[in-house]
Amino acid sequence: MLALAWPLVLTNLSQFALGLTDSLFLGRVGTLELAAATLGSNLYFAALAPTFGLALAAAPLTAQTRGRGRGHLRGMRRDVRAAFWAVAAGTIPTWLLLWNTEAVLLALGQEPALAALASDYVRAMMWGMPLFCGFIVLRGFLAAEQRPNAALVVSGFGIALNVPLNYALIHGAAGLPALGVAGAGLASALCNLAMLAGLVAMITRDRRLRRYHLFGRLWRFDASRLREVVAIGLPIAGAMALEITVFSAAALAMGWMGALAVAAHAIAVQVAAMTFMVPMGIGQAATARVGLATGAGRPVAAARAGWVAIGFGAGFMALAAALLVLAGRPIAWLFLDAANPGAAETAELAATLLLVAGLFQLADGVQAVAAGALRGLKDARVPMLLAGLGYWVIGLPVGIALAFPAGLGPIGLWIGLATGLFIVAGLMLARWTRLSRAGGLTTQVALFGRRRRAQVRRSRSDRDTALTTDRWPR
């Protein structure tokens, strides 16, 4: 588990570092620019969730196909191709929404100046969205092959590229105009292009991986595989959208409290998101390991892989919680320049929010890893419903009630988010506990086997019908 998890964790951290670099550069430009980029990125990731979830479906699909062994070369190629088709289908409506960022934010009650700057940021960054999702598809394939290092190397290159691009495009250098927040968005889009191109090059040059011919005949439409991607990916997307949008809604609620509250929220979210990258990577490793064992018909090994991953995630997040509780104020000042107006008030509020974030670290880690283990079983619909209950039915309403009627402001909003995370963690852990028992997981493995065999029979029937129609047309 560790051999597969640590490159995935570092890959997540490197991808997170792209957004963190934007925040660090823009935080020194001004509080308004940092707040605008935060609002824009919250809308961006909320709109990205459906397409991102479809891309994530490649990981459990390819893992179970790899675990079955026989015919896995063709099967994994079909999985990846169908995931690419799903990403392409989700891109256009997402672009249409993101192009109208300013109108959306104004309709949600944001300040006109913040909405205009956020639109500049998102319109530049949105062109990298399908490239990022394509990278996620290929990363899932590599995780199923237990070859995650290529994605790690490419992500490291992306970080190295993002720093000079941010400096040049935000401030203007090497003869380029100073683009401000739009420059930060464009830098992220260019880095996504470079990372996808780098991963494609590494896969096609690797002797073992190029035998899959992943990029051959991408234009072929595979309806049965696409249906499977959608059946798994949409619930994953739904669960992600529920989690992402609850924090996006929190950012919008912060916007009603002023730019200082948004900036403090941005700092706290960035730090909490950075620690979250570790259990997220462990959860991705759990998806691959549980999927491989399930595809091979080994329920005991699948259960063991899931529990080991949950233990790793909980252990790390306990350490992260201690760090945030003890060092919140120094961490907050890393994002701010003392010479900027309002920096001291922003740092003080951000330190308090980081204290609350420290309290929910353990819950956040457990729910992320448990969700990843459940994805390895292709169990995505029930986790989506559990996320909706915890985040939107309980977490956000409690936070808004504490923030406004109770008068606690930003702190009350974050207490509500923490409450929702604890509830989701408990429900996800209970779900995995039930399924990981020997009888329950054996039943799940048998059920997936029957479904797969039925899909194969339908595919063969469709093929035979097509051949008959071609030879003897009416």
Side-chain angles (χ1 to χ4, degrees):
M1 181 64 70
L2 282 177
L4 180 59
W6 75 262
L8 292 173
V9 167
L10 292 179
T11 301
N12 288 338
L13 287 170
S14 62
Q15 291 168 351
F16 169 80
L18 297 177
L20 180 62
T21 304
D22 293 351
S23 296
L24 290 173
F25 272 95
L26 293 174
R28 283 161 173 75
V29 175
T31 302
L32 183 65
E33 286 76 8
L34 176 60
T38 301
L39 286 176
S41 62
N42 273 279
L43 179 62
Y44 173 85
F45 285 110
L48 169 67
T51 310
F52 187 50
L54 293 170
L56 284 174
L61 280 172
T62 53
Q64 288 204 13
T65 302
R66 186 71 177 88
R68 284 189 292 272
R70 184 178 179 181
H72 70 277
L73 291 177
R74 181 173 180 269
M76 293 176 76
R77 179 169 64 249
R78 291 178 64 194
D79 292 336
V80 170
R81 185 168 60 204
F84 281 146
W85 269 89
V87 166
T91 295
I92 301 301
T94 305
W95 271 351
L96 291 174
L97 174 63
L98 293 176
W99 189 257
N100 294 286
T101 293
E102 184 175 3
V104 172
L105 292 178
L106 288 174
L108 293 172
Q110 300 304 306
E111 299 175 6
L114 281 175
L117 279 175
S119 178
D120 293 340
Y121 180 69
V122 171
R123 283 189 173 187
M125 187 167 59
M126 59 180 266
W127 305 110
M129 189 212 75
L131 307 174
F132 172 68
C133 291
F135 176 87
I136 296 300
V137 170
L138 295 180
R139 190 185 67 179
F141 161 76
L142 291 171
E145 280 290 300
Q146 302 192 78
R147 299 277 299 275
N149 290 331
L152 173 59
V153 171
V154 169
S155 296
F157 170 73
I159 296 175
L161 180 63
N162 196 40
V163 173
L165 283 177
N166 261 289
Y167 180 79
L169 294 173
I170 292 175
H171 300 287
L176 297 173
L179 300 177
V181 292
L186 181 58
S188 295
L190 291 174
C191 287
N192 286 325
L193 172 61
M195 289 192 300
L196 177 61
L199 202 55
V200 169
M202 294 182 76
I203 290 173
T204 54
R205 291 177 63 87
D206 186 278
R207 184 176 63 180
R208 177 181 167 186
L209 296 178
R210 68 180 176 222
R211 64 196 176 116
Y212 286 90
H213 301 291
L214 291 184
F215 311 108
R217 299 180 179 177
L218 287 176
W219 60 87
R220 277 194 173 181
F221 183 75
D222 191 334
S224 62
R225 270 299 203 277
L226 187 58
R227 282 194 298 267
E228 195 170 2
V229 169
V230 172
I232 298 171
L234 284 185
I236 294 175
M240 290 190 58
L242 290 167
E243 183 173 2
I244 292 172
T245 53
V246 79
F247 280 93
S248 299
L252 294 172
M254 289 290 181
W256 302 333
M257 304 179 208
L260 290 181
V262 175
H265 174 80
I267 293 170
V269 166
Q270 289 279 355
V271 175
M274 180 173 64
T275 60
F276 179 74
M277 292 299 105
V278 176
M280 184 179 177
I282 297 172
Q284 290 161 351
T287 298
R289 297 294 299 163
V290 171
L292 286 167
T294 302
R298 300 169 58 209
V300 175
R304 183 169 60 243
W307 282 115
V308 167
I310 290 170
F312 283 147
F316 173 82
M317 291 304 262
L319 296 175
L323 176 64
L324 295 187
V325 169
L326 297 175
R329 187 169 285 102
I331 292 173
W333 275 109
L334 294 174
F335 293 82
L336 298 166
D337 187 343
N340 287 334
E345 294 87 343
T346 302
E348 192 65 28
L349 179 56
T352 306
L353 297 182
L354 286 172
L355 176 64
V356 180
L359 298 178
F360 68 63
Q361 289 292 289
L362 185 60
D364 207 11
V366 169
Q367 68 88 17
V369 181
L374 290 169
R375 287 172 192 163
L377 298 175
K378 297 183 180 178
D379 181 43
R381 189 173 304 168
V382 172
M384 177 187 68
L385 298 175
L386 298 180
L389 173 65
Y391 297 139
W392 282 93
V393 177
I394 299 173
L396 187 61
V398 169
I400 291 177
L402 292 174
F404 295 103
L408 294 180
I411 299 170
L413 191 58
W414 270 66
I415 292 174
L417 295 176
T419 303
L421 281 169
F422 272 104
I423 289 172
V424 173
L427 294 173
M428 291 285 193
L429 194 59
R431 174 78 174 168
W432 172 253
T433 301
R434 187 174 72 82
L435 292 184
S436 64
R437 292 177 184 145
L441 195 50
T442 302
T443 302
Q444 290 286 109
V445 171
L447 177 62
F448 292 138
R450 289 197 299 271
R451 288 176 179 171
R452 185 63 187 153
R453 287 191 293 273
Q455 290 171 353
V456 170
R457 286 195 297 269
R458 285 197 300 269
S459 177
R460 288 174 178 171
S461 176
D462 293 344
R463 182 190 62 192
D464 293 343
T465 301
L467 288 174
T468 303
T469 304
D470 288 343
R471 291 178 182 176
W472 297 285
R474 292 181 181 179

